Each structure stands twice: as structure tokens, then as C-alpha cells.
Amino acid sequence: MVAQQQTEDKVTPGSSRKRDRTVIRDDDDNDNEEEFEMETTTTEKTKKEEIKPSEKSKEVLFSPELLSMYYSRLFPYHLLHSWLSYNPSNLNKSITNPLFSHREFSFTIERVPGEEIYLRYQSFPSEIELSNAIRKRRPVKIDIGAIFSHPPKDSKTVASSSFTPSQRELVFDVDLTDYDPVRGCGCQGATICRTCWTYMTMAVKVMDVGLKEDFGFKHVAWFYSGRRGVHAWVCDGMARGLTDEGRSAVATYFEIPMASDKNKSAGLAHPLHPMLRRSYGILEPMFIQHVLPAAGHGLLATEEQWTKLLSTLPPAASSVADWLLKKWNGDDCDSTPEEKWIELKRRLLQFRQNESESKHRNKKKLSSSDSIRIEQWPIETVFKYSYPRLDINVSKMRNHLLKSPFCVHPKTGRVCIPINVSQVEQFDPFDVPTLPMLMKELDEYDGEEEEGRKKVQHAWQKTSLRESFEHFEKAFLGPMWKELRKEKREEAEERAAYAGDF
């Protein structure tokens, strides 16, 4: 039986548009019939993808055959299962875990090019059931949702008032498309290059420190989205237990009000919040290195660009802009963008001091509000170009889905690998392995002589995925498991003390 209706809904989590939704019965499974929703969408012609560094234009990066090979040989089911189970004492792949079995997964399946079948409220009692379903369905996209009061697969048999999210990692999504107004490298939309990728580096550095130092979170995992962004998963028990209101409070903590053409009165509070003062200290050196020069976004690289920037100075400092324009446009000016930035800040400071101390009878003193605006202009400028631009709605709701780590982006064929935060400045999205690269690495490894070669437990250890996956296991899962074991031990000791068995 097929029922079709026109509705306003989400084609993928986080976006909204009208499309045909067809509800059909899927009889592929040998066990129970499963009702699912088929979303018929027209796939847009891929825009010019990324890529300023040259790549083989005719290489097939993503196909059902490549994806099937990845799911059967390389997908780290054990890493995903052991992470989302939050129980290091019970990591058996065939045993039901109460948290894992109540976790929502969604699959996006493309059986016919351009037509997507979107399966929500999937859940699996164990790692084996998850791996079997992924190998069978071969989803082009996997999303992960909340832990619910009941297994999501039973959602239609439970009263809606009883089916509620109980836990969810606090997640953050940063995407380069939100930086389009400040990308001076020539990229827009899905197109990226190494120059604009530095915005993601800046976002990770600011957010990671803020989450750990200001909120005390310890277990923060960062992942490459596979195309043009990064995702953060905050996995501490306190973070997973946050209400929607609590999540919203944490997310909005990282938002900043910035003045714009439409709202010139908006701006940073004075005095500056300590978090923002710290963020400025992190961002300004990167702003100088990556945003100002011609090799970056060129903000102070040409006469046109510095004229445009100086025009954004507060009106009270127009004399500073005039003086610098005259000097920088002179034939004998050969200062670098960094030197221009330093000189600009120095001139603004001198102007504020001189105007505040002026004793000239006929000269009006600089008002307090103007002085503050001039003082904060360099900070607001750095933030305008480099402060994290979050998709805040992703963070606010427990039942919001986010792309699963370790899956493959269908537009690039790249794996959503973990990012080593301590080396985030060295992370290059163009070095992330693609499916063809991984298949080639497997073939080369398997074709080598086995003598003297160290045995590996997982096939992905034969490929360039090894470094990032092992770092995730050792640097993220290891400390989290250690803390969870400690909590379990303390709970057991407390129960024993109450029972008189201690």
C-alpha cells in the first residue's frame, strides 16, 4: 500500500523544504515488515566541488560498490559501539546494552540516483545488529540522535507522551558556508580551499578551550564532517543529561552580538567578558597570519581592501583613517599587512589617549561611548572574520540528529575522521582518505609479504585511517572509560557501605 502526500518537512536533519513524502512498506527483511518513509528529492547538480588544490577530476570517489566495501571491511563498528554504550565493562558486540539499544540512528538510502529513502527511529540492541543493518542497507548517510526512554524502533507502539529523549551528547556544528561573507579566497558555498579551512581551525581552538575551561567538560571529540565543516561531541555525563534549556544556555554562551549595517547599535559588552578576551588572544595571531595577507583572505593586502576596512572605523576616529590612507597609499609605503594592523591599533590607542587628555578649550573631548567603540573596534574586527559561527539550532535540542562519525560523505568520498585537537593546525581536509585511496591501500597491504609484518586486529589498521582512529581510541575513549570505571567503582562502594558490606 502506498500513500502519498505533499508536506513541509525535513529532507535531511537541519534543513527544510517541500517535497513528496511516500510512505511504503519495505519487505526486504526476512523477519518483520518495517514501515518507513521514502523521501523523493531531486539531487542538485553538484556545484564545483572545493577544490583549489588539483585532484584527479575523473576519479570516481563514491559509488555503491565502494561504499559496500567500506562498510564490510573498514567501518569501525567496535569504536562506535563502545563509545555510544558508555559502559567499558560490557563491550561484547553481541550483548544488548541499555543505552546503545535506546539510541536513535537514521539511514539515508539512495536506491535510485536522485531519490532518497530516509529511515528514522532505527535502533539496534547490539553492535552485531547495527553492523548487519548497515551492511545490508548501505546508507549513503548515517545520522545519530538521542537516547530515548524506549527503543526508537518501538516508537509507534509507545504513547507519544512516553517516548521522550533521556540523554544526548551536547553537539556543535560549524560549517564553512556560514563564513561566505568573510571568505576572501574566492570560495563560496560548498567550495573550499586550504585558505578558508583555517576558519575551521580557529573555531576548534576557541570552542575546545571554552568547553573545557569554562564548563569543565573533559570528553570532547572533534570530527571532520567529510566536506566543509567540523562537528564537536561533548560526551561527559553532565553534558549528556542536559535539558534542552541547558543546551541552549551553553550554546548561546558562545554567541556574540556583532554590529552590522542593519543594527549598528549591537556590539560587544564593555568590559569584555573573560571568555571573549581569551578568544581574542587565540584568534588575533591566526587572524594576522591567515586573514590579513594576500596569501590568505587579503584584508590588508591591497589599497581597495584596506580602504574598505578603514571605512568601518567608528566615525569619531575618521581622522585616523584619513591619516593612514594617505600614508599607506603613498609610493614609499612598503609595510606588510601585519605591520599595517599593528600600526592601525597603535594609532587608535594614541588617538584615544590624546583625545581623552585634550585640554584645548574649543575642542570637544572624546565621549566615553566613542572611546569604548574605538577601543573595541580591533576586537570586533578580529571576531567578525574569525570567531566561530555555529549552527546553534543543532546544539539546542536533544532530538536533533547529527551525522555519524566514521561514515563517508557522498559528495567527496572522504571519511568523517576524528580530529586530533592538539594538532588541529596541521589537519588538512584534502589529506583525508577517500574510498578509492582506501581500497588501493588495502590491496597494496594485502599484496605485501607477511613475514616480519606486525599483525593487525582491524582492517582499517592497514590503511591511512589508522592514525586518526587509534588516536580516538587512545586519547578519547581511553580516558572516558577510565573515568566511567571509576564512577562505577565508587557507586558500588557506596552501595556496599549503605548495605553494611563495606
Side-chain angles (χ1 to χ4, degrees):
M1 189 176 82
V2 178
Q4 189 168 3
Q5 58 182 341
Q6 187 82 309
T7 181
E8 176 79 19
D9 205 350
K10 294 179 179 177
V11 174
T12 56
S15 65
S16 179
R17 57 184 143 118
K18 284 191 176 180
R19 52 87 172 95
D20 291 334
R21 163 174 288 183
T22 307
V23 180
I24 66 176
R25 292 272 182 184
D26 177 23
D27 298 324
D28 280 352
D29 293 335
N30 294 326
D31 42 23
N32 298 325
E33 285 189 332
E34 176 184 346
E35 185 180 83
F36 65 97
E37 296 166 346
M38 183 175 82
E39 300 185 347
T40 306
T41 62
T42 302
T43 305
E44 293 183 9
K45 287 184 178 179
T46 305
K47 296 179 181 178
K48 181 185 175 185
E49 178 60 23
E50 306 164 344
I51 279 179
K52 294 209 170 171
S54 61
E55 282 197 352
K56 296 178 182 178
S57 58
K58 294 185 179 180
E59 184 179 31
V60 177
L61 299 175
F62 188 89
S63 70
E65 294 75 24
L66 287 170
L67 188 61
S68 180
M69 183 72 74
Y70 177 75
Y71 283 144
S72 64
R73 300 190 64 186
L74 296 175
F75 190 92
Y77 298 101
H78 66 292
L79 288 182
L80 189 64
H81 173 258
S82 56
W83 164 27
L84 298 180
S85 294
Y86 294 104
N87 186 359
S89 63
N90 180 14
L91 298 179
N92 189 309
K93 64 174 67 178
S94 62
I95 295 178
T96 298
N97 175 281
L99 293 183
F100 188 83
S101 63
H102 286 218
R103 170 80 67 170
E104 179 189 0
F105 290 85
S106 82
F107 295 165
T108 302
I109 301 169
E110 193 173 70
R111 291 179 174 171
V112 178
E115 292 186 0
E116 294 180 345
I117 301 173
Y118 182 36
L119 306 174
R120 275 207 71 170
Y121 299 115
Q122 307 291 294
S123 61
F124 309 95
S126 68
E127 178 188 331
I128 288 180
E129 280 80 359
L130 172 67
S131 63
N132 288 342
I134 290 177
R135 288 187 176 105
K136 179 178 180 179
R137 296 286 195 185
R138 291 190 311 192
V140 296
K141 185 167 178 274
I142 304 171
D143 290 287
I144 298 176
I147 297 169
F148 283 85
S149 53
H150 299 77
K153 66 179 181 179
D154 299 332
S155 61
K156 293 185 179 180
T157 65
V158 178
S160 58
S161 58
S162 300
F163 184 69
T164 56
S166 58
Q167 285 191 43
R168 172 71 160 116
E169 295 80 7
L170 176 62
V171 294
F172 295 91
D173 180 10
V174 193
D175 194 298
L176 268 171
T177 55
D178 294 319
Y179 290 77
D180 282 357
V182 295
R183 287 205 268 179
C185 55
C187 297
Q188 292 284 288
T191 307
I192 72 167
C193 66
R194 290 187 175 93
T195 298
C196 56
W197 183 259
T198 56
Y199 283 137
M200 296 296 97
T201 303
M202 299 177 198
V204 171
K205 296 187 83 166
V206 168
M207 292 294 298
D208 194 69
V209 171
L211 289 166
K212 292 173 180 175
E213 293 191 5
D214 299 346
F215 292 94
F217 297 132
K218 298 177 183 177
H219 309 297
V220 183
W222 287 91
F223 295 90
Y224 172 47
S225 73
R227 194 180 193 187
R228 58 177 185 262
V230 293
H231 299 156
W233 294 68
V234 187
C235 303
D236 300 65
M238 182 183 298
R240 287 184 277 126
L242 285 171
T243 62
D244 289 347
E245 292 76 15
R247 292 164 194 275
S248 182
V250 176
T252 53
Y253 174 80
F254 289 103
E255 282 193 315
I256 55 174
M258 297 295 293
S260 64
D261 294 337
K262 294 182 179 180
N263 187 8
K264 296 183 181 294
S265 62
L268 301 175
H270 184 82
L272 201 63
H273 190 282
M275 183 274 284
L276 296 179
R277 180 64 63 185
R278 181 188 62 223
S279 298
Y280 180 65
I282 293 171
L283 292 172
E284 190 191 25
M286 302 182 75
F287 169 84
I288 290 171
Q289 180 182 356
H290 300 293
V291 178
L292 297 183
H297 297 275
L299 191 61
L300 279 177
T302 65
E303 179 178 339
E304 179 184 0
Q305 290 294 335
W306 65 61
T307 299
K308 183 179 178 181
L309 179 64
L310 291 174
S311 71
T312 66
L313 282 169
S318 59
S319 61
V320 175
D322 294 340
W323 190 91
L324 288 173
L325 276 175
K326 184 176 180 181
K327 179 182 178 182
W328 292 351
N329 291 343
D331 295 336
D332 58 345
C333 181
D334 60 356
S335 58
T336 65
E338 179 178 357
E339 290 168 342
K340 285 182 171 67
W341 178 252
I342 293 171
E343 183 178 28
L344 171 53
K345 292 205 303 176
R346 185 177 67 249
R347 287 289 173 183
L348 289 175
L349 177 61
Q350 290 174 348
F351 176 78
R352 285 179 53 241
Q353 291 174 340
N354 293 339
E355 291 298 307
S356 299
E357 297 169 2
S358 176
K359 296 180 180 178
H360 197 286
R361 183 177 299 176
N362 297 323
K363 190 171 183 180
K364 186 178 179 181
K365 278 191 175 185
L366 191 67
S367 70
S368 174
S369 60
D370 283 338
S371 179
I372 290 172
R373 287 195 66 195
I374 294 170
E375 178 187 359
Q376 298 199 154
W377 182 87
I379 301 170
E380 292 186 352
T381 301
V382 169
F383 284 174
K384 175 183 177 181
Y385 287 88
S386 58
Y387 191 82
R389 299 183 176 213
L390 305 177
D391 183 349
I392 200 165
N393 290 323
V394 172
S395 307
K396 288 182 174 182
M397 305 291 287
R398 281 173 294 183
N399 62 356
H400 202 296
L401 298 168
L402 187 64
K403 183 189 298 178
S404 171
F406 311 117
C407 66
V408 180
H409 199 292
K411 297 293 185 183
T412 64
R414 299 188 189 276
V415 180
C416 303
I417 64 171
I419 295 174
N420 182 347
V421 175
S422 66
Q423 298 176 12
V424 65
E425 291 190 59
Q426 285 74 52
F427 181 84
D428 186 341
F430 298 99
D431 287 340
V432 175
T434 62
L435 290 181
M437 290 168 56
L438 293 171
M439 297 309 114
K440 182 181 178 183
E441 289 169 4
L442 277 177
D443 291 341
E444 290 175 350
Y445 187 98
D446 292 339
E448 293 175 358
E449 294 289 335
E450 290 189 16
E451 187 176 346
R453 192 168 62 188
K454 189 177 179 182
K455 266 195 168 185
V456 296
Q457 184 179 2
H458 308 287
W460 52 258
Q461 293 174 309
K462 302 176 181 179
T463 73
S464 51
L465 294 171
R466 178 170 188 160
E467 182 179 354
S468 62
F469 283 13
E470 287 188 346
H471 176 79
F472 174 79
E473 188 170 27
K474 293 174 183 177
F476 175 75
L477 286 184
M480 187 172 71
W481 285 343
K482 184 178 180 180
E483 183 171 300
L484 288 170
R485 288 190 186 101
K486 181 182 177 183
E487 290 175 0
K488 294 278 187 185
R489 186 169 60 251
E490 290 175 349
E491 288 173 4
E493 290 173 354
E494 187 174 346
R495 287 194 302 268
Y498 277 122
D501 298 329
F502 187 67

